[in-house]
Amino acid sequence: MKKTILCTLMLFAFAWAGQRAMTIQDLWDMKRIGDTALSPDGRLMALVVTSYDMEKNSGNADLWLLSTNDNALRQLTFYEKFDGTPRWKPDGSGLAFLSDRSGTRQIFFLSLAGGEARQMTHLPVAVEDFIWTPDGERFVFVASIFPDAKNLDETARLLDEQEQSKVKAHISDRLMYRVFDHWFEGVRSHIFVCDLEGQAVTDLTPGDYDTPPVDLGGARDYAVSPDAKELAFVRNQDPVVALSTNNDILLTAMDAVSPQPCTDANKATDNQPLYSPDGRFLAYRAMQRPGFEADRYQLMLFDRTTRHTSSLTSRLDRSVNGVAWAADSRTLFFTADNQGHSSIYSVATAGGRIDEIVKDHVNSGLMPSPDNRLLYFKRQSAASPDEIYSLDLSTRQFKQHTHINQPLLDQLALTPAEDFWFSSFDGKKVHGLLIKPPFFAAEKKYPLIYVIHGGPQGMSEDGFHYRWNPALFAAPGYVVAMVNFRGSTGYGQAWTDAVSKDWGGGPYRDLMAGIDYLIKTYPFIDQDRMAAAGGSYGGFMINWIATHSGRFKALVSHAGVFDQRSMYGATEELWFPEWEMAGTPYDRPELYAKWSPSFYVQNLKKFNTPTLVVHGEGDYRVPYTQGLQMFTALQRMGVPSRLLVYPDETHFVTKPQNARLWWNEVHGWIARWLR
């Protein structure tokens, strides 16, 4: 027995040799792979790679080029700000992309024959997204305009007047008047078509609507048919968008604008249209229950000839995320949250057979090869950020194509996530992920950080999160545990549904049962030194724990709901609280009170758990006054507490130096109380 323990310790020592714990600077030194695009012949892949400079407090996105044959990778652009959104010309002769190097974001083109990037459009407004028409003769692009403006020039003039005006008042006549992190200032997003010089501009989606929609969208909410004659796009045409999840897909001819509904029979969300390469089908995602933003997405197939629509995933109790067509139009690939991972599935258009072809870790960005042989995708885990992989669809063999962060990763002592399952208070099985600290030794005792995900219809996953990074939580010497309590995605729709109307009920009891299981099962966890941290719904749960339990020594509440009533009056997506609390606070005051930590403030004095409260003033989803109210309550009850508010951040902390402060404060607060 002693010999076995000694051998195990020697293996750990060998594995950690020359490595060190991860730091905040390491997280921001890592290059981040964003958008990807596979060339029409499959030989090359364009990548957007973003690097960050801590001292400049900013990031820089550039285009890189990967040879899929020999994995040669080279940087393609070197502009100091943004080059991104790569789109291959349909004939494969070059690459179009967006850049703001001319002052406003416009479309540029790089020929594979060589030479400098050429600016293709000189529009008076910024291009927000774009695609080629399949014939390679035009661009379809998204821009924000004043819907009553005569043309793009008039929109540009009005925007300039807004910018130059000394009056910065917001005026609105309707809901919603702001979303997530910005106010509406009278503009709408529309889809346009233009020639390759940015001329002959036509608005394909006229009207006082946002197209694509402002919320509940897919990866891209517009597509052009293979014959370049039809545009499919997503729009919400309900009178009060703040109350509606009724995004619909509409179809219009490219040269005779006359939008016609395609999914108007469904009053829930429809989005992410994708034409099959042969033009026969239009695939899209659809929910079924109006007003519920976390309903199960099914993969739908619309036959453009017969006009018949069917669901390809009605028998799969998972919600469809990213989707891609195989080149032969016989198969669709899609990702779905699945028990702490993001799996890749294939489904046949004929017969509807579904196969899970990739299971482990977190996979995204699906790109089938034109010869139907390979599927390229991004993959990340708790111990590694995104890299490019491929799967041979015949042999099911994997291949890693990029190692863009490997030199840095080789220096770091990162541990993989481990799955665990336990029985909750009612006997239901609950899944979680455990991450051990660097230089772990089983005979030692370690403090625990319990990380609680947001949503609430979200999922703690085996991924490399750049904000709530589990490896960085573990780096100072903590065990990190994450539990996918009821309400989480990836365990069937009934599990996801179980949080609604029960915010502090079943989910809280799952989390407490999880703590009981962890303490009982893992002797290296020190039950006298435990902290919990969460953001968004996770922040709500921290506020709930603060008023309902004293078993943690420290808490971190980021962007958490404190009072459901005042939250309702200031948030922007009203369909969300009205679904979660079964109506408005005027109609259902009992539920808004029942699930408000503000109604249990007297318990703060009883449990007296030191709490760090963090919020961003630009957070319109959970307005920052929620954090202020929580901090005020803590202070008035005499609870050790600290407030961190960012005037220049939103629901998320995204600026490098702000993130550095965030981690220093969070780690410092937890260390202070878990010594």
Side-chain angles (χ1 to χ4, degrees):
M1 180 66 179
K2 290 181 178 178
K3 185 178 179 180
T4 301
I5 293 173
L6 180 61
C7 290
T8 302
L9 290 173
M10 289 175 66
L11 285 172
F12 272 115
F14 178 77
W16 301 124
Q19 293 184 321
R20 56 181 174 80
M22 184 178 175
T23 68
I24 301 166
Q25 187 63 49
D26 292 325
L27 186 66
W28 287 90
D29 282 344
M30 291 181 186
K31 294 180 173 62
R32 308 182 186 187
I33 297 177
D35 287 350
T36 56
L38 189 65
S39 64
D41 61 8
R43 294 187 304 109
L44 297 170
M45 186 186 301
L47 318 173
V48 177
V49 178
T50 301
S51 302
Y52 286 87
D53 187 307
M54 183 64 74
E55 295 312 309
K56 291 181 179 179
N57 202 31
S58 63
N60 173 35
D62 281 305
L63 298 179
W64 292 53
L65 202 61
L66 171 71
S67 169
T68 57
N69 292 326
D70 60 11
N71 295 337
L73 182 66
R74 65 185 178 93
Q75 189 170 342
L76 199 58
T77 66
F78 295 84
Y79 178 56
E80 63 182 7
K81 292 184 180 178
F82 177 84
D83 289 330
T85 319
R87 306 283 186 259
W88 287 97
K89 192 173 183 180
D91 65 7
S93 63
L95 188 70
F97 63 97
L98 291 183
S99 177
D100 53 11
R101 59 183 70 189
S102 65
T104 61
R105 195 156 292 183
Q106 299 292 320
I107 301 173
F108 287 73
F109 181 76
L110 265 172
S111 172
L112 290 186
E116 294 295 317
R118 181 167 71 92
Q119 186 170 346
M120 304 294 283
T121 62
H122 297 78
L123 299 166
V125 296
V127 178
E128 297 167 16
D129 190 39
F130 81 103
I131 55 176
W132 294 85
T133 55
D135 56 14
E137 295 182 358
R138 293 185 288 179
F139 294 123
V140 175
F141 67 92
V142 178
S144 292
I145 65 162
F146 290 96
D148 295 331
K150 299 183 181 67
N151 49 43
L152 297 183
D153 288 311
E154 184 174 352
T155 283
R157 178 180 60 78
L158 293 171
L159 288 172
D160 184 64
E161 289 177 0
Q162 274 189 357
E163 180 66 25
Q164 299 303 320
S165 175
K166 291 182 171 57
V167 176
K168 301 300 181 184
H170 303 292
I171 300 175
S172 183
D173 297 307
R174 60 189 172 192
L175 300 172
M176 49 181 22
Y177 50 86
R178 61 182 188 176
V179 63
F180 195 71
D181 62 356
H182 65 276
W183 287 77
F184 293 117
E185 305 292 359
V187 296
R188 295 283 199 178
S189 59
H190 280 201
I191 299 173
F192 299 83
V193 64
C194 68
D195 63 25
L196 298 187
E197 301 300 324
Q199 304 298 313
V201 177
T202 301
D203 186 347
L204 297 175
T205 60
D208 193 11
Y209 306 102
D210 282 291
T211 312
V214 297
D215 219 336
L216 300 180
R220 183 180 301 119
D221 281 328
Y222 62 103
V224 178
S225 60
D227 62 7
K229 293 182 178 180
E230 183 179 84
L231 174 76
F233 63 90
V234 180
R235 169 190 284 175
N236 188 322
Q237 299 187 136
D238 282 5
V240 184
V241 175
L243 296 172
S244 169
T245 64
N246 187 24
N247 289 350
D248 275 316
I249 295 173
L250 290 85
L251 308 174
T252 187
M254 291 287 290
D255 297 316
V257 180
S258 55
Q260 299 296 318
C262 177
T263 62
D264 56 323
N266 181 30
K267 301 306 178 185
T269 290
D270 306 284
N271 61 28
Q272 203 165 288
L274 288 166
Y275 288 95
S276 59
D278 64 6
R280 177 181 173 183
F281 298 108
L282 181 71
Y284 63 94
R285 303 187 308 166
M287 294 183 180
Q288 291 184 311
R289 286 176 284 181
F292 185 27
E293 69 168 39
D295 198 13
R296 177 168 63 113
Y297 272 119
Q298 296 187 49
L299 182 55
M300 310 300 290
L301 197 64
F302 172 66
D303 190 316
R304 299 176 69 208
T305 300
T306 66
R307 316 298 287 181
H308 175 70
T309 300
S310 60
S311 171
L312 293 174
T313 60
S314 59
R315 292 175 287 110
L316 180 69
D317 197 7
R318 294 292 184 270
S319 190
V320 173
N321 292 328
V323 184
W325 277 100
D328 61 6
S329 298
R330 297 177 180 177
T331 303
L332 282 151
F333 301 100
F334 64 91
T335 59
D337 290 354
N338 186 28
Q339 298 183 348
H341 306 269
S342 178
S343 297
I344 301 176
Y345 298 83
S346 66
V347 58
T349 57
R353 174 177 170 173
I354 299 174
D355 291 310
E356 184 182 22
I357 59 176
V358 179
K359 182 175 183 179
D360 294 332
H361 307 309
V362 173
N363 307 286
S364 63
L366 308 181
M367 294 168 286
S369 65
D371 60 4
N372 295 306
R373 188 173 64 87
L374 300 172
L375 177 65
Y376 295 94
F377 55 94
K378 296 189 293 185
R379 164 174 278 195
Q380 60 176 289
S381 72
S384 176
D386 270 326
E387 298 286 357
I388 302 298
Y389 285 75
S390 66
L391 174 71
D392 188 305
L393 294 170
S394 297
T395 66
R396 298 298 167 93
Q397 295 297 306
F398 292 95
K399 182 178 180 180
Q400 184 173 348
H401 293 269
T402 64
H403 299 79
I404 200 164
N405 284 301
Q406 202 60 50
L408 178 55
L409 292 173
D410 287 341
Q411 302 175 39
L412 306 179
L414 301 175
T415 58
E418 302 175 20
D419 296 276
F420 64 88
W421 291 83
F422 62 91
S423 294
S424 193
F425 65 95
D426 56 357
K428 289 187 168 60
K429 296 297 183 182
V430 184
H431 173 248
L433 295 164
L434 185 80
I435 296 161
K436 293 171 181 172
F439 318 112
F440 173 78
E443 73 279 6
K444 292 179 61 177
K445 285 279 191 180
Y446 292 92
L448 172 76
I449 300 179
Y450 210 28
V451 177
I452 304 172
H453 72 68
Q457 295 90 355
M459 180 182 73
S460 288
E461 60 188 16
D462 179 19
F464 200 83
H465 203 295
Y466 277 106
R467 294 187 309 276
W468 287 67
N469 186 278
L472 193 49
F473 271 111
Y478 299 110
V479 172
V480 173
M482 304 178 290
V483 165
N484 283 314
F485 47 85
R486 63 198 67 201
S488 301
T489 56
Y491 304 87
Q493 192 58 43
W495 190 253
T496 302
D497 289 351
V499 66
S500 300
K501 294 82 174 172
D502 193 37
W503 270 39
Y508 170 75
R509 298 180 71 184
D510 290 337
L511 288 163
M512 294 302 104
I515 283 290
D516 293 336
Y517 169 83
L518 290 164
I519 292 170
K520 180 180 178 181
T521 307
Y522 300 104
F524 51 80
I525 293 176
D526 186 344
Q527 63 178 311
D528 295 322
R529 292 189 296 158
M530 300 190 302
S536 198
Y537 174 84
F540 157 83
M541 184 54 71
I542 294 297
N543 298 343
W544 190 258
I545 289 171
T547 54
H548 286 78
S549 173
R551 67 189 310 177
F552 296 99
K553 298 297 186 199
L555 299 172
V556 178
S557 171
H558 181 107
V561 178
F562 175 73
D563 182 84
Q564 299 285 2
R565 301 165 305 173
S566 56
M567 165 73 177
Y568 176 88
T571 193
E572 8 83 284
E573 298 177 337
L574 294 183
W575 66 76
F576 177 75
E578 291 193 19
W579 181 276
E580 295 301 304
M581 301 296 155
T584 71
Y586 330 125
D587 301 324
R588 296 298 304 272
E590 69 283 0
L591 270 184
Y592 280 81
K594 183 178 182 179
W595 304 127
S596 287
S598 60
F599 274 73
Y600 308 91
V601 165
Q602 291 296 331
N603 290 343
L604 290 172
K605 185 181 297 185
K606 172 184 175 182
F607 298 119
N608 200 43
T609 308
T611 303
L612 171 65
V613 179
V614 186
H615 229 114
E617 288 187 15
D619 186 351
Y620 302 152
R621 185 64 39 90
V622 181
Y624 81 102
T625 51
Q626 294 291 307
L628 301 186
Q629 291 181 64
M630 177 62 179
F631 180 67
T632 297
L634 289 161
Q635 289 281 304
R636 290 290 289 118
M637 292 297 106
V639 179
S641 48
R642 186 174 176 89
L643 176 67
L644 172 60
V645 175
Y646 292 98
D648 57 343
E649 295 288 4
T650 62
H651 200 56
F652 308 130
V653 176
T654 60
K655 296 180 179 178
Q657 292 186 23
N658 284 347
R660 180 172 61 188
L661 175 63
W662 189 92
W663 280 106
N664 284 334
E665 287 288 329
V666 169
H667 275 156
W669 185 257
I670 291 173
R672 175 180 172 184
W673 301 101
L674 265 61
R675 286 195 182 102

